[in-house]
């Protein structure tokens, strides 16, 4: 009797362990599907495979902060891509919510969608950690969770991003090279940071400061917080100019239109400026580069949401996917800007210019994006 009970208990334990071991994605050998689109981050990136499901699928976007033009355009882009012919027939239900900067609210929304039976949840994490509970819940329910842009400090989920550390380095190096070309080896640099607490803001700032620290020049780094928002950035840059006087260069993570407006309003001489891919920023560089506004524009595209959605659906179809997907950095300097090609004089200043991903077959037009709104879809 005791032996029988022991065998039953042991068998149950083995079955339970087996069930748990198959929850969530399996780590497999590469290569993955569509490597030209879903490029692994580096040679050490592992590959993951979920059990294939039959579509169409229920997909949710759980955004956090929505108080700047990038996030608004991202939500519009997600809505436009959900209606794209390449995606429309693969999605049965599509929901969008923005929960603000409160991590428990975002975690609660993700849990709610998992409990409602959604197949995939795409999210911009409000913090790089604290998501272990929802990752376990997603795995238990075979839900594909895909953070993008502000990603998590974990390798337990598939994620989509551009190399934020490298972006910061490129911004910093551009500003430094332009200063060196003018014979400037010391001075004041204004760093405009993004939304506090996010991995993107952290990694970009590390890259920027790393470049100036390695240079060995006497650089006074002054940092302000612009929240990646034009209005906020304009105010904090104006305040910085009022307090510190003239800067030798500005390196900004976003809100680049606000940087330009603040410099103009203060009558500040044009200096090298590194920034994002806002259409107005690129217009200003093209217009004033001969006057000293030597600029570099690197786009963290709101269109990343489309790549994250495409990756989520691909994973649901049972394809092998890289754990961390690298999207190439789209770069344009004052030497390369062309109206109608990488900026548009007839589009609004706050339109983010990079929304084409040819290797992925993703090209969301400006009119399609601008026709949507940022409201939740419940």
């Amino acid at each position: 009797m005791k032996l029988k009970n022991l065998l039953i208990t042991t068998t149950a334990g083995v079955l339970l362990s087996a069930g748990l071991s198959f929850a969530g994605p399996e780590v497999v050998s590469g290569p993955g599907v569509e490597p030209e689109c879903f490029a692994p981050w580096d040679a050490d990136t592992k590959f993951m495979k979920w059990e294939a499901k039959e579509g169409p699928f229920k997909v949710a976007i759980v955004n956090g902060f929505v108080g700047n033009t990038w996030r608004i355009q991202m939500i519009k882009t997600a809505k436009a891509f959900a209606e794209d012919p390449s995606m429309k027939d693969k999605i049965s239900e599509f929901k969008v919510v923005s929960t603000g900067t409160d991590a428990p609210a975002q975690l609660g929304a993700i849990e709610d969608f998992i409990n409602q039976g959604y197949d995939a949840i795409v999210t911009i994490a409000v913090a790089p950690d604290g998501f272990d509970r929802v990752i376990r819940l997603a795995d238990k329910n075979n839900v594909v969770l895909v953070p993008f842009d502000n990603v998590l400090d974990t390798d337990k989920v598939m994620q989509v991003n551009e190399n934020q550390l490298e972006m910061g380095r490129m911004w910093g190096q551009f500003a430094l090279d332009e200063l060196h070309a003018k014979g400037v080896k010391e001075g004041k640099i204004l760093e405009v940071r993004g939304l506090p607490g996010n991995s993107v803001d952290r990694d970009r700032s590390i890259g920027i400061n790393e470049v100036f620290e390695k240079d060995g020049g006497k650089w006074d780094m002054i940092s302000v917080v612009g929240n990646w928002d034009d209005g906020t950035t304009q105010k904090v840059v104006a305040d910085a100019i009022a307090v510190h006087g003239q800067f030798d260069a500005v390196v900004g993570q976003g809100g680049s239109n606000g940087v330009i407006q603040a410099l103009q309003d203060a009558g500040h001489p044009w200096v090298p400026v590194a920034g994002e891919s806002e259409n107005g920023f690129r217009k200003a560089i093209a217009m004033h580069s001969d006057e000293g506004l030597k600029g570099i524009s690197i786009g963290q595209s709101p269109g990343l949401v489309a790549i994250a959605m495409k990756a989520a659906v691909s994973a649901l179809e049972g394809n092998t996917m890289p754990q961390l997907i690298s999207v190439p950095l789209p770069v344009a300097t004052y030497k390369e800007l062309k109206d109608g090609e990488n900026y548009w004089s007839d589009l609004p200043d706050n339109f983010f210019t990079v929304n084409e991903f040819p290797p992925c077959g993703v090209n969301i037009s400006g009119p399609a994006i601008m026709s949507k709104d940022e409201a939740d879809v419940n």
Side-chain angles (χ1 to χ4, degrees):
M1 185 67 178
K2 289 183 179 179
L3 179 59
K4 182 178 179 181
N5 287 341
L6 178 61
L7 289 172
I8 291 172
T9 302
T10 302
T11 303
V14 170
L15 290 173
L16 179 60
S17 298
L20 289 174
S21 67
F22 288 104
E26 179 186 1
V27 176
V28 298
S29 298
V33 70
E34 295 186 61
E36 68 283 358
C37 175
F38 305 125
W41 193 264
D42 56 32
D44 296 325
T45 301
K46 66 183 182 182
F47 291 84
M48 308 171 85
K49 185 179 179 68
W50 283 258
E51 183 180 349
K53 290 186 176 183
E54 184 175 349
F57 308 109
K58 298 171 68 174
V59 178
I61 308 292
V62 181
N63 179 45
F65 181 72
V66 75
N68 60 36
T69 53
W70 193 98
R71 294 295 182 101
I72 291 171
Q73 185 172 326
M74 180 275 295
I75 292 171
K76 292 180 177 182
T77 301
K79 292 179 178 180
F81 188 58
E83 296 177 0
D84 187 86
S86 68
M87 187 61 55
K88 187 174 182 179
D89 291 341
K90 297 184 178 185
I91 297 178
S92 59
E93 290 186 39
F94 181 70
K95 300 290 179 70
V96 178
V97 296
S98 294
T99 59
T101 58
D102 182 55
Q106 187 176 54
L107 294 170
I110 293 172
E111 287 185 348
D112 187 45
F113 280 121
I114 293 172
N115 292 331
Q116 289 182 49
Y118 273 71
D119 300 296
I121 299 167
V122 174
T123 185
I124 297 185
V126 300
D129 50 28
F131 282 69
D132 293 349
R133 185 179 79 247
V134 294
I135 292 172
R136 288 194 297 269
L137 185 63
D139 285 347
K140 180 181 177 182
N141 290 275
N142 289 315
V143 174
V144 177
L145 179 63
V146 187
F148 75 100
D149 183 49
N150 289 326
V151 294
L152 302 174
D153 290 337
T154 181
D155 63 356
K156 303 300 183 185
V157 293
M158 179 173 62
Q159 308 195 79
V160 175
N161 206 4
E162 295 173 1
N163 192 325
Q164 307 301 322
L165 183 64
E166 183 61 23
M167 189 184 296
R169 289 170 178 157
M170 292 175 69
W171 277 330
Q173 193 63 54
F174 172 86
L176 194 60
D177 290 346
E178 290 295 324
L179 291 170
H180 284 176
K182 297 193 300 182
V184 179
K185 299 295 179 68
E186 61 180 58
K188 288 184 290 187
I189 308 299
L190 180 60
E191 179 193 10
V192 184
R193 297 197 59 168
L195 192 66
N198 288 280
S199 60
V200 167
D201 170 68
R202 176 198 64 194
D203 293 348
R204 289 176 174 182
S205 183
I206 289 171
I208 292 165
N209 285 275
E210 177 186 284
V211 168
F212 282 95
E213 288 168 4
K214 287 183 177 179
D215 176 66
K218 296 180 180 179
W219 302 111
D220 183 13
M221 302 294 293
I222 296 163
S223 179
V224 294
V225 177
N227 290 342
W228 301 317
D229 174 66
D230 286 340
T232 305
T233 296
Q234 181 177 340
K235 182 182 185 305
V236 297
V237 172
D239 290 345
I241 294 171
V243 172
H244 299 281
Q246 184 172 321
F247 291 94
D248 295 281
V250 181
V251 183
Q253 294 194 20
S256 309
N257 295 327
V259 171
I260 297 301
Q261 193 61 54
L263 293 174
Q264 288 181 313
D265 290 348
H268 192 290
W270 290 124
V271 295
V273 177
E276 254 276 6
S277 64
E278 298 96 330
N279 195 46
F281 179 50
R282 292 190 173 190
K283 285 183 193 177
I285 296 171
M287 185 179 299
H288 299 292
S289 62
D290 290 343
E291 304 163 28
L293 179 57
K294 307 300 185 184
I296 183 172
S297 170
I298 306 179
Q300 175 79 348
S301 173
L304 280 175
V305 69
I307 306 303
M309 291 167 64
K310 182 179 173 73
V313 168
S314 181
L316 289 168
E317 291 172 337
N319 293 309
T320 298
M321 306 295 295
Q323 182 271 316
L324 184 55
I325 295 170
S326 175
V327 179
L329 294 172
V331 181
T333 72
Y334 64 95
K335 299 176 183 179
E336 298 150 349
L337 289 174
K338 294 182 180 179
D339 192 5
E341 184 173 312
N342 48 22
Y343 78 94
W344 289 265
S345 56
D346 58 346
L347 287 180
D349 286 353
N350 62 5
F351 181 78
F352 283 82
T353 55
V354 185
N355 292 287
E356 298 178 1
F357 303 90
C360 296
V362 173
N363 182 8
I364 308 114
S365 71
I369 294 169
M370 299 304 286
S371 69
K372 305 301 179 183
D373 61 41
E374 69 272 22
D376 288 355
V377 179
N378 295 312

